[in-house]
Amino acid sequence: MSTGIGARVKRKEDKRFTTGQGRYTDDVRVDNQAYAVFVRSPHAHAKITGIDKSEAEAMDGVIAVLDGHQLTGDGIGNLICGWAVSSKDGSPMNMGAWSALATDTARYVGDAVAVVIADSRQEARDAAEAVVVDYEELPVVVTSDKALESGAPQIHDNAAGNLCFDWEIGDEAAADKGLAEAAHVTQMRIVNNRLSPNPMEPRSAVAIYDSAEEHYTLYTTSQNPHVARLVLSAFYNVAPEHKLRVIAPDVGGGFGAKIYIYPEEITCLWASMKTGRSVKWTADRSEAFMTDAHGRDHITNARMGFDQNGKITGFKVDTLANLGAYMSLFSSATPTYLYATLLSGQYDIANIYGNVKGVYTNTVPVDAYRGAGRPEASFLVERMMETAAREMGMDPAELRRRNFIGSFPHQTPVIMTYDAGDFAGNLDMAQKAADVAGFPARRAEAAQRGKLRGLGYSCYIEACGIAPSAAVGSLGAGVGLWESAEVRVNPVGTIEILTGSHSHGQGHETTFSQIVAERFGLPIENVSIVHGDTDKVQFGMGTYGSRSGAVGMSAIVKAMDKVEAKVRKIAAHVLEASEDDIVIENGAVKVAGTDKQMLWHEVGLAAYTAHNLPAGMEPGLKETAFYDPVNFTFPAGCYIAEVEVDPETGVTKVVQFTAADDFGTIINPMIVEGQVHGGAAQGIGQAMLEGVVYDQDGQLLTGSYMDYCMPRADDVPFYTIEHNKTVCPGNPLGIKGCGEAGAIGTPPAIINAITDAIGNNDLQMPATPLKVWTALQAAAKPMAAE
Amino acid sequence: MYQTKYHKAASFDDAVAALGAAEDGKYLAGGQTLLATMKQRLAAPTDLVDLRGIDGMVGISVDGDSVTIGAATTHAEVASNAALRAVIPVLCDLAVLIGDPAVRHMGTIGGSLANNDPAADYPAAVLGLNGTVITNQREIPADEYFEGLFTTALDEGEIIKAVRFPKPRRAAYQKFPNPASRFALVGVLVADTGDGPRVAVTGAGSDGVFRAEALEEALAGGFSAASLEGASVDSDGLMGDIHATPEYRAHLIGVLARRGVAAAG
Ligand SMILES: Cc1cc2nc3c(=O)[nH]c(=O)nc-3n(C[C@H](O)[C@H](O)[C@H](O)COP(=O)(O)OP(=O)(O)OC[C@H]3O[C@@H](n4cnc5c(N)ncnc54)[C@H](O)[C@@H]3O)c2cc1C
């Protein structure tokens, strides 16, 4: 069986994961280990008027009790936001100061105020309870709309009215004109519900300080260890980069929440220096709910205009984005450049305007979560399209077809240049696989059983592999978004790939091996993948935004190009042939048309023995590449959901789900299907089950699985998955990315299906039985009045 | 979890003595409520007195038209006991809906009743089937046992030994699970008993499990779903939270009662 591109190879990493032999941060045990437990604010907004540590300091096993004044006094910098966004009047965003340990004010429930370092976790926990913090409670605001009202509690002195930025994109006058000329305008208020990321492994850090070398090592749950090192070094002044090693070993899921550098990691590093002990911290689930950056939380008012033929004439969007109490690392980019640049959806829309206000509230920071801005955009556009079709009495698929972009490249009015796609083809494929023609019969059959059956579409598009670096830099990004790879061919011919991508569930050890196997005709067992350690890997920007295929693998290809060039030269020299005649296949390097060949490992050996290399050639066979993409990639697809609603109770079941995705080239269909399954489950979670709720006092009501509902196996259907393919012209493998599509495309399909079933378009996520039942009551009322 | 001392009681006297000697002791059965609260540091007993080893605490015995279930009998045992299913199948049907397999193999009926969580399932069974809670001191009829949220008629140190259920003519339990916790958002047990219809509602009441008298009255005219047409439950006194409003709970009680009566046959 082939193990190259397109093969359903079983995941190499799963033996260790399924037999309990994975090695996660909390599994790391080092000499001299101490434990950190944080003292957290129980108030959503309060002045800290005093901290009495004396009782805690005297307790058994306590090594130190440290607070924010000590931390800032030692020169540890405030947390940063890595993307500068400007308001429409040109002013920079108003960034509120965020110290890893709060010094004078706590701004959300869970804000870290002090840390206890003790010999055991138990002792640290006991002592943390004995730290007495005096708070003077301040008024609280938790939602973005209330935070903007006059008289709302002021959260940061330098952000008047809690407004961080008031950003815009597109042409307002053109959008207004398009709407004025429209024959029909659809208007909606749409809430994109706030989500908690819930990776299976909670965040964790082990910080080790070597006083002789003045060197730090940090094991941590990171999706991007080099970025962590860069930020810790350049901004938090923990240590210069060459004195700081960051290792992200096996990581049990991230979904975005492990991109950021949090107060806990910074504090552990500093505390390890301060106490001379290795310091470990692992979040418990309650802390994860309270302190992991949440996702989404938009309130949007939008209007979309159509002409007589259903062509979109204008689209105007007003969004409030809840940023939480502080700006997390990419919190400014997520609701702006990652969101509003996709307001064109799959449609040819000439006139678009978007306004986004970033707003502070007394809640945990909000940042990128699987999809990051793109689910919010696709939910908005696809809810608008479906609702507009219903209002105009048109078939929702037909309305989409009339507006699809048909030729590429296509420049939208909101920055993006779509490079390739087949939107009508995706829709055809999904409609066929979902047997849309048979839906009326299925609906009638369901009605016999007393169930309301509905069908909903979602024609989503997203942008992956944020790039190129110069372009994102011009939009405010503080980093470049390229990737690096090193290909090491060993003397025996086996290969190690050092990649800056990071695998925390994606299966890179398998898929990255497959592209090497394909290129050199080697078994994947002969390839290993090294990642997640700044001392081993040259550099890397990490894994998020579905970039590991499009960007990470491209870097590997570029490095393999260099290896191949050298291999050809060595073989041509040894075999006394012309370089042009050298072919590489099935693990051998041959002279075409002859029986002369070197086996792959013989080339490796030749490179390292260096007994017979071309004149002037350096020994060794190891090449590095840094790859900067030319553009984003644009995965797109069509999802069709069918649901059945029990009208008596509002209980809704997803009974059929069809996905037709265009991910470009697929390396391993099994892994790609797994990504779609997981993403769709998350999408169903957002649409029907999940939602973070803070009460008016800023207390987290959904602080455990008793109240925060994650999808379980019986909440999700069997999925039908199809693949369309237009090759991405922007990278050597033609890959678009598949990691987030499910989470992006699914929610609108589900809500469109439920609203179809119940005959009421006014339904916000999560569509719990309570909400569906309530919407059913509202839908029934006007009918009863007729 | 804080430090705690573990005792394994050999007899009721032993258990009572161990608890009496403790500074702030608690009985322990399956631990599915107690240990979780201790791990979260919401409870901090100095001593745990394990009741599960006491003679007669585990097991199900059928005596004609009455069934007695030992307090330390697990949910899994209740769910799968064939002798019980032959007499009062609704108890098996209810027990299998509690938690997940791990919870069912540890959690016990006595622990559930002593705890009296307003969203627990067993209280609906005891109240709906007119069971009797048997303790080391006395017998408490269902109608006198449940006193409110997490409060019961049990005295300090009193131990539930067993629960006795009379066989109903027919009965059914309908559970509408909370989507997140899968405890009962509303659970309704309807029973046609020798003493008339009983409808017990869990998950919904601000004071815990209760009998829906309006529905019982409606069913007195005939134990059929048709009798319940038009009968409704007042939302006053029902719980409201992020998962359900009092009105929605009131509505669900009606729906589940009708479905229960239909299912009871
Ligand atoms: C994940 C999860 C899901 C769950 N889902 C459900 C559900 O869907 N429905 C449901 O009803 N329950 C559910 N439960 C609760 C479960 O049923 C517990 O088993 C039950 O609440 C307590 O029983 P226990 O034997 O574990 O008692 P323990 O936790 O050991 O004790 C509970 C309390 O009862 C006291 N106690 C125990 N036994 C006695 C006795 N014989 N006499 C006097 N006092 C006693 C203890 O001192 C303690 O105060 C769930 C629990 C978990 C962890």
Side-chain angles (χ1 to χ4, degrees):
Chain A
M1 198 190 98
S2 158
T3 57
I5 292 175
R8 290 182 172 270
V9 179
K10 287 217 177 114
R11 296 184 3 141
K12 289 170 72 173
E13 46 271 81
D14 280 351
K15 182 171 180 189
R16 86 173 178 275
F17 294 145
T18 55
T19 57
Q21 295 179 80
R23 188 164 187 257
Y24 298 87
T25 299
D26 192 59
D27 296 325
V28 173
R29 281 179 183 75
V30 294
D31 281 350
N32 208 12
Q33 180 87 66
Y35 296 82
V37 167
F38 287 83
V39 179
R40 299 186 182 280
S41 172
H43 306 295
H45 199 191
K47 280 233 150 337
I48 301 162
T49 53
I51 302 180
D52 182 353
K53 305 191 269 190
S54 52
E55 188 188 336
E57 281 168 341
M59 287 170 74
D60 281 350
V62 173
I63 299 156
V65 182
L66 304 170
D67 64 33
H69 290 289
Q70 290 167 291
L71 178 116
T72 49
D74 279 358
I76 300 297
N78 283 339
L79 279 84
I80 60 148
C81 178
W83 196 305
V85 162
S86 298
S87 286
K88 55 189 181 191
D89 65 5
S91 60
M93 60 191 190
N94 302 316
M95 201 166 149
W98 184 10
S99 168
L101 296 175
T103 49
D104 54 357
T105 308
R107 295 185 174 84
Y108 67 95
V109 169
D111 210 351
V113 172
V115 64
V116 175
I117 313 296
D119 286 330
S120 72
R121 195 170 138 76
Q122 191 72 15
E123 287 164 324
R125 223 175 148 179
D126 288 345
E129 287 175 4
V131 174
V132 181
V133 184
D134 289 326
Y135 295 101
E136 189 183 303
E137 283 185 63
L138 297 169
V140 171
V141 66
V142 297
T143 60
S144 55
D145 49 355
K146 291 247 163 60
L148 287 180
E149 285 173 5
S150 67
Q154 178 75 24
I155 297 171
H156 292 285
D157 291 341
N158 62 331
N162 300 315
L163 187 64
C164 178
F165 55 79
D166 181 1
W167 176 91
E168 67 178 359
I169 191 169
D171 184 337
E172 183 167 23
D176 282 337
K177 186 158 176 289
L179 285 165
E181 288 166 4
H184 176 85
V185 174
T186 289
Q187 178 159 356
M188 294 186 84
R189 177 181 182 274
I190 287 181
V191 176
N192 207 288
N193 45 327
R194 185 178 179 115
L195 302 176
S196 169
N198 285 297
M200 199 179 289
E201 179 206 22
R203 289 190 293 120
S204 180
V206 178
I208 304 159
Y209 179 64
D210 177 338
S211 61
E213 302 290 336
E214 295 181 357
H215 179 279
Y216 295 81
T217 303
L218 175 69
Y219 289 87
T220 191
T221 47
S222 175
Q223 300 177 213
N224 42 332
H226 279 92
V227 175
R229 184 181 65 162
L230 168 69
V231 172
L232 285 163
S233 171
F235 298 98
Y236 305 143
N237 313 320
V238 170
E241 277 176 290
H242 68 298
K243 294 287 189 183
L244 174 57
R245 176 183 185 186
V246 178
I247 303 170
D250 285 332
V251 173
F255 308 115
K258 293 174 182 169
I259 296 173
Y260 327 115
I261 318 331
Y262 289 85
E264 290 84 0
E265 290 96 307
I266 302 167
T267 304
C268 285
L269 279 167
W270 167 69
S272 72
M273 179 275 292
K274 205 87 184 141
T275 61
R277 298 282 296 264
S278 312
V279 174
K280 177 189 272 191
W281 168 79
T282 300
D284 58 26
R285 190 55 69 182
S286 308
E287 276 180 303
F289 273 111
M290 219 174 357
T291 67
D292 287 1
H294 289 169
R296 321 279 195 254
D297 204 344
H298 285 195
I299 302 174
T300 296
N301 284 289
R303 302 202 303 140
M304 191 183 264
F306 298 84
D307 71 12
Q308 297 289 357
N309 299 318
K311 259 305 274 160
I312 302 167
T313 57
F315 187 27
K316 200 170 173 186
V317 174
D318 248 304
T319 295
L320 302 185
N322 191 337
L323 300 174
Y326 305 102
M327 298 202 77
S328 173
L329 197 60
F330 290 111
S331 59
S332 51
T334 301
T336 54
Y337 291 107
L338 299 184
Y339 161 66
T341 52
L342 286 168
L343 288 176
S344 202
Q346 298 190 354
Y347 312 110
D348 184 6
I349 311 178
N351 311 310
I352 301 177
Y353 175 74
N355 174 234
V356 181
K357 294 189 178 74
V359 185
Y360 290 115
T361 62
N362 293 117
T363 62
V364 74
V366 179
D367 207 330
Y369 164 68
R370 199 173 191 174
R374 293 154 289 162
E376 294 90 316
S378 93
F379 188 71
L380 175 65
V381 172
E382 291 306 293
R383 286 286 290 127
M384 296 293 290
M385 290 302 279
E386 197 96 355
T387 305
R390 288 175 194 162
E391 288 175 355
M392 293 188 287
M394 273 181 77
D395 171 21
E398 174 57 25
L399 181 65
R400 288 178 169 89
R401 279 184 205 284
R402 289 193 192 173
N403 286 285
F404 277 151
I405 292 162
S407 66
F408 298 89
H410 173 90
Q411 175 66 52
T412 73
V414 280
I415 298 180
M416 293 297 184
T417 309
Y418 298 165
D419 54 1
D422 175 17
F423 303 151
N426 301 338
L427 176 56
D428 289 340
M429 193 180 256
Q431 283 191 307
K432 190 154 169 277
D435 181 26
V436 170
F439 174 69
R442 291 194 293 279
R443 171 176 260 180
E445 185 277 330
Q448 300 270 307
R449 289 181 280 112
K451 294 282 172 14
L452 305 171
R453 190 158 174 136
L455 180 145
Y457 290 91
S458 159
C459 293
Y460 78 89
I461 186 162
E462 56 148 332
C464 296
I466 313 177
S469 297
V472 295
S474 75
L475 300 178
V479 289
L481 288 165
W482 42 265
E483 197 45 87
S484 84
E486 181 174 311
V487 176
R488 286 186 190 163
V489 183
N490 295 316
V492 293
T494 58
I495 296 181
E496 286 147 359
I497 303 290
L498 286 74
T499 171
S501 297
H502 185 274
S503 191
H504 34 278
Q506 290 84 350
H508 293 171
E509 290 168 48
T510 307
T511 49
F512 287 14
S513 299
Q514 284 181 256
I515 63 170
V516 180
E518 172 89 17
R519 181 72 173 260
F520 300 129
L522 301 171
I524 57 167
E525 293 73 38
N526 289 13
V527 184
S528 71
I529 306 298
V530 178
H531 68 99
D533 184 341
T534 58
D535 263 14
K536 291 183 183 164
V537 176
Q538 55 293 339
F539 208 94
M541 297 313 295
T543 289
Y544 38 81
S546 306
R547 68 194 302 278
S548 302
V551 192
M553 283 193 192
S554 295
I556 296 172
V557 170
K558 295 289 181 191
M560 288 196 296
D561 289 347
K562 296 183 189 175
V563 166
E564 182 178 333
K566 189 163 182 180
V567 164
R568 287 174 172 281
K569 284 203 172 67
I570 295 171
H573 175 76
V574 173
L575 299 171
E576 296 175 340
S578 157
E579 244 184 84
D580 296 340
D581 293 336
I582 299 291
V583 289
I584 302 178
E585 57 185 30
N586 295 329
V589 185
K590 301 175 181 169
V591 181
T594 74
D595 60 359
K596 290 205 284 184
Q597 68 168 36
M598 292 174 82
L599 294 176
W600 178 258
H601 70 264
E602 291 171 337
V603 183
L605 202 58
Y608 285 93
T609 55
H611 294 163
N612 183 18
L613 292 179
M617 179 183 273
E618 289 178 12
L621 193 51
K622 162 177 159 173
E623 299 289 349
T624 301
F626 284 66
Y627 169 76
D628 198 353
V630 295
N631 189 0
F632 287 79
T633 64
F634 297 96
C638 175
Y639 289 1
I640 300 177
E642 279 182 44
V643 301
E644 283 185 7
V645 177
D646 175 352
E648 275 195 318
T649 59
V651 169
T652 304
K653 281 272 159 210
V654 182
V655 289
Q656 200 177 301
F657 190 91
T658 308
D661 294 295
D662 177 1
F663 296 141
T665 304
I666 287 176
I667 307 297
N668 183 328
M670 181 196 74
I671 285 182
V672 168
E673 285 160 15
Q675 287 287 333
V676 176
H677 286 190
Q682 256 167 312
I684 289 170
Q686 164 154 35
M688 300 174 65
L689 309 166
E690 299 183 45
V692 170
V693 184
Y694 284 95
D695 72 9
Q696 287 191 343
D697 300 325
Q699 296 295 331
L700 185 60
L701 297 184
T702 48
S704 80
Y705 294 126
M706 293 296 280
D707 289 298
Y708 189 87
C709 185
M710 292 290 285
R712 293 171 169 88
D714 61 356
D715 291 313
V716 299
F718 287 94
Y719 306 102
T720 303
I721 293 177
E722 304 276 328
H723 294 301
N724 196 2
K725 179 173 169 183
T726 60
V727 169
C728 174
N731 61 58
L733 292 168
I735 291 180
K736 296 187 180 182
C738 67
E740 295 158 294
I744 292 167
T746 301
I750 300 288
I751 298 298
N752 286 338
I754 301 176
T755 50
D756 180 47
I758 65 176
N760 182 352
N761 284 323
D762 186 14
L763 180 70
Q764 304 288 3
M765 299 190 288
T768 57
L770 168 65
K771 285 223 195 92
V772 173
W773 178 77
T774 308
L776 269 165
Q777 306 305 303
K781 263 181 205 141
M783 275 197 280
E786 270 166 21
Chain B
M1 200 182 280
Y2 298 98
Q3 283 289 347
T4 190
K5 271 196 240 71
Y6 174 85
H7 310 260
K8 182 133 192 144
S11 66
F12 290 108
D13 290 346
D14 192 14
V16 172
L19 196 77
E23 187 187 326
D24 179 18
K26 276 254 175 215
Y27 293 133
L28 175 72
Q32 295 305 292
T33 295
L34 185 53
L35 294 184
T37 18
M38 288 172 67
K39 283 189 196 164
Q40 290 179 289
R41 297 192 156 202
L42 299 172
T46 55
D47 298 71
L48 290 178
V49 181
D50 192 339
L51 304 173
R52 289 169 298 179
I54 299 173
D55 248 9
M57 281 287 276
V58 179
I60 298 173
S61 62
V62 178
D63 179 11
D65 275 352
S66 136
V67 172
T68 305
I69 302 177
T73 308
T74 62
H75 311 329
E77 176 58 26
V78 172
S80 61
N81 188 283
L84 175 62
R85 179 162 285 286
V87 187
I88 314 181
V90 67
L91 284 171
C92 311
D93 298 342
L94 175 144
V96 82
L97 298 175
I98 299 175
D100 52 45
V103 169
R104 291 196 290 275
H105 278 87
M106 290 300 290
T108 68
I109 186 169
S112 178
L113 291 173
N115 189 51
N116 192 21
D117 186 309
D121 295 297
Y122 272 127
V126 174
L127 192 62
L129 296 172
N130 199 11
T132 302
V133 176
I134 304 166
T135 77
N136 59 336
Q137 299 171 10
R138 56 186 167 146
E139 298 203 348
I140 312 173
D143 285 320
E144 289 163 29
Y145 178 78
F146 301 100
E147 295 191 340
L149 303 182
F150 301 100
T151 19
T152 68
L154 290 178
D155 287 333
E156 193 69 39
E158 192 170 1
I159 299 171
I160 303 178
K161 287 167 72 171
V163 192
R164 194 173 58 235
F165 294 95
K167 174 182 158 72
R169 287 202 201 108
R170 49 196 164 158
Y173 180 63
Q174 296 282 316
K175 176 175 183 174
F176 190 100
N178 174 315
S181 71
R182 299 210 171 170
F183 275 70
L185 190 76
V186 176
V188 177
L189 192 137
V190 295
D192 182 8
T193 76
D195 298 329
R198 289 176 75 100
V199 180
V201 179
T202 189
S206 307
D207 290 326
V209 68
F210 67 94
R211 288 172 62 183
E213 276 143 25
L215 302 184
E216 291 183 355
E217 277 162 27
L219 285 173
F223 197 81
S224 75
S227 304
L228 290 172
E229 290 306 329
S232 66
V233 173
D234 196 343
S235 60
D236 276 0
L238 298 188
M239 285 192 281
D241 52 37
I242 62 171
H243 306 286
T245 57
E247 294 72 29
Y248 183 51
R249 281 195 165 91
H251 169 76
L252 286 177
I253 292 167
V255 172
L256 298 181
R258 279 198 298 283
R259 290 182 181 179
V261 171

